[in-house]
Amino acid sequence: MQSRYFLISVIVTVLLAVAAAGYLIPVEKQEVQARVVMDNTGGRVIFTHKFHADDYGFDCTDCHHDDIEADTFLSCGSCHPKEFDADFRANHQNNFPSEEACLRCHDDVPTGELAEEDRPDIENIPLRADAFHAQCMDCHEENGGPYGDDTCYECHAR
Ligand code: HEC
Ligand code: HEC
Ligand code: HEC
Ligand code: HEC
Ligand code: HEC
């Protein structure tokens, strides 16, 4: 009996400590996932998010250029989809925490169907893979890291 109570109080203490740590560690540190796994037709890419953010010495905003006063950064795919297709048109509105985000691409916050002249110019908004290839490789060319035609498999799994 005694030892069971001891065990329970140890477990409770550990849980309380974990909860307190979660509360005390600053949000910014907490939200950096160690790795981001990206499945795609070129072969899976494992992006070492935490190394890039901490060890390689970059600021969050060097990559997260979505300046929309959100509490946390949005996934790149919220704005850089695989295609600007019917699915994007129907659902992208739900990706954003505020109407301010709409103005990143729209001249006014849309309220219903868009007139032809009010449609965002998608020529200037890169699709997901182009956005990644451009951002990853531009920085690598300047600061080290794989870029260029013979380095595909340093990022992509075969
Ligand atoms: C070298 C570029 C880079 C740096 C520096 C960086 N990130 Fe990221 N971050 C990414 C990429 C790429 C993703 C994956 C986005 C995706 O899959 O759409 C990501 C994903 C995220 C996500 C998950 C978004 C979601 O909902 O899926 C959060 C939150 C985040 N980063 C926060 C941060 C914070 C906080 C910092 C700074 C401490 C930071 N990032 C630094 C590139 C970076
Ligand atoms: C809130 C929407 C939004 C989010 C989230 C977002 N982008 Fe963008 N991005 C844009 C828009 C809009 C453009 C078109 C040019 C512009 O207006 O800045 C763009 C342009 C780009 C470009 C073209 C070069 C440049 O900087 O103009 C790259 C590369 C890029 N984004 C990469 C990323 C990556 C990588 C992420 C995630 C870490 C990301 N973007 C997150 C909206 C966003
Ligand atoms: C990354 C850029 C981007 C952001 C951010 C964005 N949109 Fe859009 N939106 C588009 C594009 C691109 C289209 C499609 C234009 C076309 O049909 O050629 C579109 C279309 C729409 C449409 C018309 C849908 C249809 O069926 O034709 C509505 C409504 C809309 N957006 C609302 C919003 C709202 C509300 C927000 C903010 C909460 C928002 N959008 C944020 C790029 C964006
Ligand atoms: C803002 C600059 C920057 C951006 C953006 C960036 N990287 Fe890097 N990356 C680096 C640096 C610096 C290194 C370390 C080079 C060295 O010292 O060997 C690196 C190393 C790497 C490496 C090899 C070591 C490791 O950590 O795995 C891979 C793979 C890699 N990056 C993938 C990516 C991918 C995928 C993206 C885009 C989603 C990306 N990087 C975006 C700067 C960047
Ligand atoms: C710096 C890392 C890096 C290098 C180097 C790189 N890629 Fe990628 N590649 C990515 C990332 C990140 C994505 C986007 C993954 C996602 O959509 O989730 C991607 C996506 C792709 C896709 C999917 C396209 C789509 O529309 O879905 C193909 C195909 C591809 N890469 C081929 C290549 C080839 C070929 C090379 C060499 C010439 C190469 N990549 C080099 C990181 C890299």
Side-chain angles (χ1 to χ4, degrees):
M1 223 31 187
Q2 202 87 46
S3 74
R4 187 194 292 171
Y5 285 130
F6 178 71
L7 187 64
I8 289 171
S9 58
V10 167
I11 291 171
V12 168
T13 308
V14 169
L15 288 178
L16 283 175
V18 169
Y23 189 72
L24 293 173
I25 295 168
V27 174
E28 196 176 80
K29 289 279 178 226
Q30 210 176 44
E31 282 173 346
V32 178
Q33 303 153 264
R35 301 187 307 160
V36 181
V37 179
M38 302 171 174
D39 281 310
N40 67 91
T41 54
R44 168 179 291 189
V45 174
I46 295 177
F47 172 57
T48 54
H49 190 236
K50 207 167 163 50
F51 281 141
H52 278 77
D54 293 349
D55 302 7
Y56 302 159
F58 296 105
D59 289 333
C60 312
T61 49
D62 286 339
C63 303
H64 293 276
H65 72 128
D66 51 320
D67 182 18
I68 53 165
E69 287 179 21
D71 292 339
T72 174
F73 296 112
L74 303 180
S75 74
C76 312
S78 303
C79 297
H80 300 286
K82 280 206 156 65
E83 295 293 340
F84 289 110
D85 54 8
D87 180 50
F88 176 85
R89 279 196 296 278
N91 297 315
H92 72 285
Q93 294 87 322
N94 308 323
N95 292 340
F96 306 106
S98 72
E99 293 195 330
E100 194 194 336
C102 317
L103 304 178
R104 203 59 185 76
C105 303
H106 294 278
D107 291 336
D108 298 300
V109 176
T111 48
E113 256 180 56
L114 291 181
E116 201 54 50
E117 68 270 21
D118 292 335
R119 295 181 182 276
D121 180 8
I122 57 174
E123 295 291 301
N124 293 321
I125 313 171
L127 293 173
R128 184 177 166 85
D130 296 334
F132 282 129
H133 276 168
Q135 190 181 79
C136 312
M137 297 209 216
D138 281 356
C139 181
H140 288 168
E141 189 166 6
E142 239 173 80
N143 299 294
Y147 73 96
D149 287 349
D150 53 354
T151 62
C152 313
Y153 297 116
E154 288 178 43
C155 289
H156 291 280
R158 276 180 202 272

